[in-house]
Structure formats: structure tokens, C-alpha cells
Amino acid sequence: MIAFASSITSPETYERCAEPGIRLAAEPDSEVLAYQAAGSIFRSYNLILERAAALDDLEALVLVHQDAEIADPDFCPKLRRALADPDVGVVGCVGAVGVRSIAWWEGSVTWGSFTHRYEEMGGGEVSAMSWNPNRLPAFAHTGEVDTVDGFVLALSPWTVQNVRFDESLGELHGYDFDFCLQVRAAGRKVVTEDLRVIHHHSLELVSDPETWVAAHMRIAEKWDGRMPNVGTAGGDWKQRARRAEAEAAVARTEVVAALMQADAKVNEVTGSVSWRLTTPLRRLNALRKGRRPGPA
């Protein structure tokens, strides 16, 4: 039996996003554990893990953010395929290798079968590299990674029984990276699978940079010397170095968010009725000025 679970801070968001996706993916015997959040996401997920650990015949527990919508009717068969390897502990729909910190996207992303749907500026979406099977880059492949993004986390029964989220690390940021590191440190695998998911999320990727920086530093300190590439062993300067690295990472993330917002603004303008209606006039003006007409 595959169980699905969510930690809910906004019932409206859950009912609009996660709930329909769970209904699509769930099987007749699936358990759905949807609870009001109990403090941090670390704490909320640990309570869910305790509940799931008591379920009979559990094949997997799927932790779904309230703003994540499973869009794959074959979700359960694909998940069973990924978990057929008894060494697999965590399955996600997007992951990377060569990851050094909670800014996992700065590693080499090898798979991403989701689309980011936003509501700002009239709405739109940004598809990850593996969302369209006809446009897969040559390097895209499912399989073992260092970490996966936590908006959808599928856990094996072994993981549900043996691993917990580290509640000392903060309220939100880095919970998925730290959890994946724990699973790998225990000798289990973290893998990606072609699980189609829609992430309904603002274009603002980091809403509170200071708490993100603090989580970045805490997790780097925790894993310093325990996992290859994570943290930086050294002397008295290491705290300053970690903060500088964290601030640089969040700055790069804010640049990406700004670029996404700029693209969304362009899409809002060029997709409007007035833009389409004035296309002939713009082309005529371009011809009069000796310019090549732009896109419609």
C-alpha cells in the first residue's frame, strides 16, 4: 500500500493543488494522511512519519507539499519501479549530483520532470528540462543523485522506520537536503524517477534570505567532513567562509528569480489581446523604419 501525506498551513492551497493530485495518483487502498502543520516542516513531517510507520503493508510514503500537484496517473507504478531496488531510500522527480549545500540546483541537475506554475503577472509556467519528453537534453537521466527537491518526497518503508528530519536545523529550508544526506550516510540510495508533478509556486524563490542563509550554514556545519563536498573543513575562518558561500548562493537564487519574473512580464505583455491586435501596426512601422519585423 502506498500512502500519501501533506502538512497543511493553507487548506485552500491544499484543496486546490495537492488534494486533486493525490486523488489522481492514489490507489483504492492508499492511505491519505493530511494534517494541519505542527510547527516547522521538520516537526510536521516527523509526526507524519510516526503515523506512517504504524501502517500495515506500507510500500512507500509520499510526502507532498500543499502546493504540489501530482499530474501523473501512473505515479504509483513508476514509484514501485524505482523502489524495486531494495537499497533505494528516497525517490524524487528532480535531483542533482555534485551538490555541496542546500542550494542543490548549483550542482549538476540530471532530471526534472515537473513544471513550475505561477500566478503573478497573469500566470504562466516554467517547465523543467525533463517535462517534455521530446526535448530531453542528452545528459538527462533518472537514477542515483546526491539529493532531490523536497516538494514531493517518496520514502521507502526502511526510511520511514529509520530516518527522521533534524528539527534542530530550523523551520523550513534545507530539510530535504539534510534528509537525503542522512539516507545516503546510512548506505541507502537517493534516486530520481519520471514522476510528473506541477509545483504551484511564486516566482519569489527565497522569501526570507536570512533564514535561508542560517540554514545553509547550520547544515554545512553539521556535515562538515562527514560527506564529500559538503561543508568546508578548516580553521577559524570557516564560519565567515560558510556565510559568504551562503550569501553568494542566495544572491544567485535571487538573480534567477528576477530573470523568471522578467520573462513572466514579457509573456504577460506579448500574450495580451492588445499586443496581438497591434501586431500588424508594429510590423508596418518596422518596415517603414527599415527594420526586420519582430515576432508576433
Side-chain angles (χ1 to χ4, degrees):
M1 180 271 294
I2 294 177
F4 295 82
S6 284
S7 172
I8 303 170
T9 59
S10 168
E12 185 278 330
T13 301
Y14 172 78
E15 292 166 5
R16 177 171 54 88
C17 304
E19 188 175 38
I22 291 173
R23 284 201 305 266
L24 174 69
E27 297 173 324
D29 66 342
S30 292
E31 290 272 357
V32 178
L33 311 174
Y35 299 126
Q36 185 70 26
S40 71
I41 194 168
F42 298 85
R43 181 59 179 158
S44 297
Y45 275 180
N46 280 340
L47 292 173
I48 289 172
L49 286 176
E50 293 297 328
R51 175 70 182 88
L55 295 174
D56 294 330
D57 303 320
L58 182 70
E59 295 179 77
L61 172 66
V62 184
L63 298 172
V64 184
H65 275 199
Q66 63 184 7
D67 61 358
E69 178 184 355
I70 297 171
D72 196 333
D74 296 321
F75 187 94
C76 287
K78 290 179 179 179
L79 180 54
R80 286 192 178 94
R81 179 175 68 194
L83 291 172
D85 180 349
D87 288 333
V88 170
V90 175
V91 184
C93 66
V94 53
V97 297
V99 180
R100 300 181 59 247
S101 72
I102 66 173
W104 60 265
W105 50 87
E106 294 189 341
S108 298
V109 178
T110 57
W111 189 260
S113 52
F114 75 99
T115 188
H116 178 162
R117 189 169 293 175
Y118 57 88
E119 296 183 358
E120 299 101 312
M121 306 173 196
E125 61 184 81
V126 180
S127 296
M129 65 177 187
S130 311
W131 178 256
N132 186 340
N134 297 320
R135 297 180 180 176
L136 283 178
F139 60 84
H141 63 87
T142 58
E144 192 167 359
V145 292
D146 290 347
T147 190
V148 294
D149 191 297
F151 65 90
V152 173
L153 283 176
L155 312 181
S156 72
W158 178 90
T159 303
V160 172
Q161 293 290 338
N162 293 283
V163 186
R164 293 294 179 266
F165 293 88
D166 186 346
E167 297 179 34
S168 71
L169 295 176
E171 295 294 315
L172 172 63
H173 302 296
Y175 71 95
D176 42 7
F177 180 52
D178 177 75
F179 193 84
C180 289
L181 289 178
Q182 290 188 62
V183 169
R184 290 171 53 210
R188 303 286 168 144
K189 298 177 184 177
V190 177
V191 304
T192 52
E193 181 54 82
D194 185 18
L195 306 171
R196 303 281 153 162
V197 180
I198 301 168
H199 195 190
H200 300 265
H201 196 280
S202 166
L203 290 171
E204 186 179 49
L205 300 181
V206 177
S207 57
D208 188 345
E210 186 56 36
T211 60
W212 191 93
V213 166
H216 188 293
M217 294 174 64
R218 279 194 294 268
I219 293 173
E221 178 71 27
K222 174 181 175 178
W223 291 99
D224 186 5
R226 296 173 57 194
M227 190 66 69
N229 300 321
V230 181
T232 306
D236 294 338
W237 49 268
K238 65 183 180 181
Q239 278 296 101
R240 295 193 302 274
R242 287 193 183 110
R243 170 164 283 278
E245 180 184 41
E247 290 175 343
V250 78
R252 289 190 293 270
T253 302
E254 290 175 331
V255 168
V256 171
L259 291 173
M260 291 172 63
Q261 291 166 14
D263 288 343
K265 188 64 176 177
V266 170
N267 290 337
E268 178 191 28
V269 172
T270 58
S272 67
V273 174
S274 61
W275 179 269
R276 293 195 299 272
L277 291 177
T278 57
T279 295
L281 181 59
R282 292 197 309 278
R283 287 177 171 168
L284 178 60
N285 286 337
L287 290 172
R288 285 174 174 171
K289 295 177 180 178
R291 298 198 308 266
R292 186 183 182 87

